[in-house]
Every structure is written in structure tokens, then in C-alpha cells.
Amino acid sequence: MAEKTILITGANGQIGSVLAKRLAKIHGEDRIIKTDISQPEEEWGIFEFLNVIDTDSLVELIETYDIGEIYHLAAILSANGERNPRITWNVNLASYLNMLHIAVEHKIEKLFFPSTIAVFGPTTPRENTAQDVPLLPSTVYGMSKATGEMWNQYFYDQYGLDVRSIRYPGIIGYQSLPGGGTTDYAVEIFHAAIDHGVFDCYLNHDTRLPMIYMEDAINATIDIMQAPSEQVKLRYGYNISAVNFTPEEITAEIRRHYPGFKMNYTPDYREQIARSWPSSIDDSAAKNDWQWQPKYDLTQMVDDMFTNLTKSKSHV
Ligand code: SER
């Protein structure tokens, strides 16, 4: 029997554009169906327009391409989400509940749901935040993801849907830019260092957040999806951790490469969002259950970012 195909929603996004390529390498380009609401920047493989709130089109794609696995990455992130709470809820959660039902009806073999550190809130202990703690998120994005997590567990328990999920920290990569998140500064700062030598940071100098290098984030995604089902004991969403730093600390790292780099601080509403999130994460459940292990520490990440960004910027 031929291997089934994989559908990715939000395939143009920060994670999607990198994950799609990795999945194409593993399974072959013709097995990956990338979908999004706008034309992708790079043309390769199969792309279809899909707005995730359009359930009919989703079903049509699943049937047309005989989809067996879905990575549902389409979402509006934390900072942008606050500008339009209702649309954010519809895109992030209402569409996801439809997706879960459709996945059961169409016997989807595996479904991936990206969760986030935004599921935690101001009442969550901030340091070394454990897997099972009270979730009282303060953003619509966090509310939608925390609710999505509960639906994950429910669909696994009630219908046996093989759904798997990770709570990503802020993701830093040279391949793509994030859009509308609170952790975006940690990517923008690298571009600013190379292009302008100065960055105006919207967080305070000492606001510590958990982060992860793109390579590690993609590895975690592939690892949890390839793990034998019985190893994935938690279905709602696994804490994963790699590095954590403050704007001041990343500035010091950047100055190893650009000694004259200037950093200004003009905190805005995103500072409050960041303060409601953990500063570090306990990921022992992911380590124990499916042997999660990050490869990049802060210094390796910064060095790799500059190596790749200076290379790609010199080609444009
Ligand atoms: N990176 C996301 C954001 O900042 C958190 O998952 O919104």
C-alpha cells in the first residue's frame, strides 16, 4: 500500500516553511501538501490555498490527496492576537475543533498540534515551570492553545485519535521570520545587528524567556511524531526546553560578533505578555517519554545564526 500524504496548514509560517522542507526530505516532495492563505515565497513541491476556517476545502484536500497525517500550524500569535480576539479564537480554536472532528471522520493516522509557553499565565510559577501546573493564560492566543490542548487529550481518550503536541518556547531561526509574536525580538535582533547595528527592544532588559533554536524545534517535532505511540504518554502538549535568556544576555552574545552593537529598550504591551510566561521550563516528561534532547546552547545558536544570516544576506 502506498504511503499516505502529509498535509501542512500554515506552511508559509516561521515553523511551517522549515518543517515542510524537512518532511519533504524524509518522505519525498510529492508526499507533502503545503497549504496557506497566501502564495509561498519559494516555489517547490505541491501548494494549495487553504483558509483553515473553510472546512469544506479542508475535507476536499484530505480526500483529493489521500491525506494520512496533518501538521496543523496555522495560527495567529500572541501579540497580533490581542488586536483581534474574536478572529484569533476562530482561527486558532474554532477551526481546530473542526479539524479534530474531520481527522476522526477521515481516519487521519497522526495529527500534530503546536502548543506554546503562552498556555501558562501570571499564576504559573515562572522558574523551571513544570509540566502540570495551573494554566490561566492572559492572552487570547494562550487561551486558544490551552483549550486546544484539552481537546487533544479529549479526542485521544474518546476517539483514539493519535494527536501529538509540543509546547514550543520562542523559536529562533535564520530561515524564516516569525510574525506577531512576543518572542519575535529574539529573531529580529540578529537581522538588526547585521543590517543596522542597533535594535530597539520592546521588552525590558531583564525579561527572561525560554527559547529554542529552529533546528532543535524541528527535531523535537519530527521526534515526537516518529515516536512509538505508547511512548507519547501525554497527548495534550509536552513542555520542551532548550535555552533561556534576557535581552541583555543575548545582546552580550551578539557583541561577540558585533562589538559596536547598540541596544535600546522601549517596553510596550508585549512586556506584560512576556512577564506572564515562564522564564525557564522543566521538560523532564519529554526527556523521559520520547528521549527529547536539544543540541544547541545559546553560544552555538548565536554563532550558527550569524554564519547563516551573513551568508544569505550576502546573496541578496
Ligand atoms: N512565539 C510565540 C509568541 O511569541 C509563543 O509561542 O507568540
Side-chain angles (χ1 to χ4, degrees):
M1 209 169 68
E3 206 190 323
K4 290 208 174 185
T5 45
I6 296 174
L7 183 100
I8 306 174
T9 71
N12 296 349
Q14 189 197 11
I15 303 173
S17 55
V18 187
L19 182 67
K21 283 187 188 156
R22 178 75 75 83
L23 288 171
K25 236 183 218 161
I26 299 171
H27 301 278
E29 228 177 82
D30 56 342
R31 305 236 87 89
I32 310 303
I33 316 302
K34 300 177 291 172
T35 72
D36 211 310
I37 50 172
S38 59
Q39 193 68 36
E41 267 177 32
E42 285 180 63
E43 274 187 38
W44 65 269
I46 305 164
F47 176 82
E48 296 276 1
F49 285 97
L50 176 68
N51 184 335
V52 288
I53 59 179
D54 176 1
T55 317
D56 292 343
S57 298
L58 173 64
V59 169
E60 206 178 304
L61 286 177
I62 289 175
E63 288 173 354
T64 307
Y65 289 104
D66 193 19
I67 299 296
E69 205 168 300
I70 298 176
Y71 292 75
H72 180 51
L73 305 180
I76 298 174
L77 293 183
S78 59
N80 274 358
E82 293 310 285
R83 296 206 193 107
N84 221 322
R86 269 182 91 166
I87 292 178
T88 304
W89 184 260
N90 284 337
V91 170
N92 292 6
L93 200 274
S95 78
Y96 186 53
L97 189 50
N98 287 332
M99 169 75 81
L100 285 161
H101 279 287
I102 290 166
V104 172
E105 280 158 20
H106 287 77
K107 301 192 171 36
I108 294 299
E109 286 156 19
K110 275 186 222 170
L111 172 64
F112 179 77
F113 176 75
S115 191
T116 160
I117 52 167
V119 297
F120 303 116
T123 57
T124 306
R126 291 197 74 218
E127 273 171 46
N128 208 23
T129 303
Q131 178 69 44
D132 289 313
V133 288
L135 305 181
L136 275 177
S138 59
T139 60
V140 187
Y141 171 67
M143 284 158 55
S144 67
K145 291 291 182 177
T147 315
E149 284 194 1
M150 288 187 257
W151 281 118
N152 286 346
Q153 193 66 45
Y154 186 87
F155 269 73
Y156 176 74
D157 292 339
Q158 298 299 321
Y159 307 107
L161 180 66
D162 190 350
V163 55
R164 304 173 182 211
S165 176
I166 282 172
R167 290 172 176 160
Y168 293 114
I171 302 177
I172 298 164
Y174 58 87
Q175 304 94 326
S176 53
L177 286 170
T182 301
T183 58
D184 295 11
Y185 94 88
V187 183
E188 291 163 3
I189 196 171
F190 287 94
H191 292 267
I194 297 172
D195 298 339
H196 314 294
V198 56
F199 184 64
D200 192 17
C201 186
Y202 54 76
L203 298 184
N204 269 330
H205 67 101
D206 60 351
T207 302
R208 181 177 300 282
L209 285 172
M211 303 275 181
I212 189 169
Y213 199 40
M214 179 65 84
E215 178 74 12
D216 278 330
I218 298 295
N219 286 342
T221 313
I222 301 289
D223 286 354
I224 193 173
M225 287 300 271
Q226 287 184 346
S229 185
E230 65 278 7
Q231 284 183 15
V232 187
K233 297 196 177 100
L234 312 175
R235 294 300 174 148
Y236 53 91
Y238 275 95
N239 281 6
I240 61 165
S241 156
V243 297
N244 63 74
F245 53 79
T246 65
E248 205 163 49
E249 287 167 1
I250 187 103
T251 302
E253 282 289 324
I254 285 173
R255 286 191 182 135
R256 285 194 297 110
H257 294 259
Y258 292 86
F261 176 64
K262 283 201 183 63
M263 183 78 155
N264 301 319
Y265 296 95
T266 317
D268 65 17
Y269 70 105
R270 288 168 282 190
E271 167 63 18
Q272 208 182 339
I273 297 177
R275 285 283 167 186
S276 76
W277 292 353
S279 54
S280 58
I281 297 283
D282 172 3
D283 60 356
S284 44
K287 284 182 166 143
N288 289 334
D289 290 358
W290 43 277
Q291 286 74 54
W292 153 244
Q293 197 58 56
K295 292 200 181 87
Y296 286 81
D297 65 19
L298 181 56
T299 303
Q300 290 166 313
M301 180 186 88
V302 170
D303 291 350
D304 205 58
M305 277 295 280
F306 279 127
T307 304
N308 284 288
L309 275 183
T310 44
K311 226 189 277 166
S312 61
K313 282 182 192 282
S314 68
H315 286 132
V316 279

